[in-house]
Amino acid sequence: MEAWATYRTSTAGDWPAERLVKAKGANRVSVVLPARNEEATVGAIVATVREHLMDRTPLVDELIVVDSRSTDRTAQVARAAGAEVVGQDAMTRGLPRLTGKGDALWAGLAAAEGDVVAFIDADLREFRPHFVTGLLGPLLTDPSVDFVKGFYHRPLVGATGVEPDGGGRVTELMARPLLNLFWPELAGFVQPLAGEYAGRRTVLEQVPFVTGYGVETAMLIDLLDLVGLDALAQVDLGERKHRHQDTAALGRMSAQIMLTAWSRLQRRGWAAPGTAPTALLTQFRRGGSDALPNLDREIVVNDVSVQERPPLAQLRHRVPRRRVAA
């Protein structure tokens, strides 16, 4: 793990845009943002990529925002800032209707035409171009790299101050111990759940995309099996600022990651075949009109099940040949 981390880790500063323009050759580069109700942040991200990596420096060839059933002005804001906006449902029309970020990512991959595709979360604040160039660097300069994962410091703002690395709670409490236990080859990834990553289209089209919060975990495990650890890399992107979820939401996220890991364990024969853990998560909410006697809490049951969109390569013939706007 230490050898891999030394060999396959770089920083965003290692990859200036001008160098990457020379290195990209005939490769086309796509940037995809899955977005659901992100009108407050998506415009600034799109405008930054457009200005610095398309207009000033011709590194990115297409910039796509996938509108994941937003109820706000996400699509309009993104389009006004210079992105091409496609609808998640439009790109998956005729296929089973799935929900969550993973399906939006799959739709974005289907819409994109680049040889290299970078995915960026649409809720980032104080976004800078190096979030894109850092991910693209290893892919455009080293043909042996197939996938690059970002990592960063994630400050958590609390009532008593700022905890510099307090934002990765699910990573440290659940995802990292889980990966170390069953997939120790992946132990060198600083941020296994990071939402910023890039890969070669030919590779990304060969792995399934899990719905919900299991998508990043499944992608790492499946890519490890498909191309091996040496084809995976990571890049330090500095500091990432975005909104944080409450503890109950993090519990639901953790449950989906655990269910995703269980499915991969079954595929390896490490979990009992033909069995499935429950996908219902019981949580407690303090107070409320339905609080039970003696508990002073409501019982809240959530369905945390995850589904998978098969590899795009298997369904390419059923995907619209042209991008369908949202």
Side-chain angles (χ1 to χ4, degrees):
M1 182 272 290
E2 291 179 353
W4 172 85
T6 301
Y7 176 53
R8 285 305 196 197
T9 301
S10 60
T11 66
D14 296 332
W15 312 111
E18 295 75 14
R19 175 188 173 190
L20 299 184
V21 169
K22 297 177 182 179
K24 68 179 286 192
N27 287 303
R28 285 178 55 82
V29 174
S30 302
V31 173
V32 175
L33 282 74
R36 179 179 174 85
N37 295 333
E38 302 293 359
E39 66 174 345
T41 51
V42 69
I45 298 173
V46 168
T48 299
V49 175
R50 168 67 64 180
E51 177 184 356
H52 293 275
L53 303 179
M54 299 181 79
D55 297 339
R56 291 187 186 178
T57 306
L59 177 61
V60 174
D61 298 288
E62 63 177 358
L63 176 55
I64 299 171
V65 170
V66 181
D67 184 16
S68 182
R69 303 169 190 149
S70 297
T71 57
D72 65 359
R73 299 182 63 254
T74 291
Q76 297 92 316
V77 170
R79 191 176 290 112
E84 181 170 2
V85 180
V86 301
Q88 175 180 338
D89 290 331
M91 291 304 303
T92 57
R93 184 173 296 133
L95 301 174
R97 190 178 192 271
L98 302 182
T99 61
K101 178 185 177 182
D103 193 49
L105 291 168
W106 192 94
L109 180 62
E113 298 177 352
D115 304 291
V116 174
V117 182
F119 296 103
I120 304 292
D121 278 350
D123 66 340
L124 302 188
R125 295 185 286 109
E126 300 180 23
F127 177 83
R128 298 292 182 267
H130 72 265
F131 270 73
V132 175
T133 55
L135 297 174
L136 297 177
L139 290 162
L140 296 178
T141 60
D142 187 343
S144 69
V145 174
D146 288 325
F147 181 80
V148 179
K149 189 85 167 177
F151 70 93
Y152 27 65
H153 296 290
R154 296 179 62 192
L156 177 64
V157 180
T160 59
V162 178
E163 188 177 348
D165 286 303
R169 292 166 289 174
V170 174
T171 293
E172 299 304 329
L173 295 174
M174 201 281 300
R176 192 181 311 285
L178 185 66
L179 291 175
N180 274 260
L181 183 62
F182 294 110
W183 294 275
E185 305 97 319
L186 299 174
F189 279 94
V190 180
Q191 294 281 355
L193 303 184
E196 285 67 49
Y197 39 85
R200 301 191 189 281
R201 162 181 292 284
T202 53
V203 172
L204 294 173
E205 287 189 346
Q206 296 181 60
V207 295
F209 279 57
V210 172
T211 59
Y213 292 108
V215 59
E216 280 84 19
T217 301
M219 191 175 294
L220 270 186
I221 295 171
D222 294 345
L223 287 172
L224 176 66
D225 291 339
L226 179 66
V227 299
L229 182 63
D230 191 54
L232 311 180
Q234 62 181 349
V235 174
D236 186 350
L237 300 178
E239 185 175 81
R240 184 187 200 265
K241 295 182 179 180
H242 65 120
R243 69 174 184 273
H244 296 280
Q245 302 192 60
D246 61 31
T247 304
L250 298 182
R252 296 188 290 273
M253 182 189 304
S254 298
Q256 289 194 320
I257 293 170
M258 292 177 70
L259 287 172
T260 300
W262 176 273
S263 70
R264 269 57 192 168
L265 291 172
Q266 280 190 317
R267 292 179 187 181
R268 287 193 170 193
W270 294 353
T275 63
T278 179
L280 297 179
L281 176 65
T282 299
Q283 295 178 301
F284 296 90
R285 181 184 299 145
R286 186 173 181 177
S289 59
D290 295 325
L292 295 180
N294 303 323
L295 280 178
D296 190 31
R297 293 166 176 82
E298 292 179 317
I299 291 180
V300 181
V301 179
N302 291 282
D303 183 352
V304 293
S305 58
V306 294
Q307 297 173 285
E308 295 187 15
R309 189 72 77 185
L312 180 59
Q314 298 178 12
L315 296 176
R316 173 57 74 180
H317 64 289
R318 298 183 60 184
V319 175
R321 294 185 178 181
R322 302 184 66 179
R323 293 190 286 268
V324 185

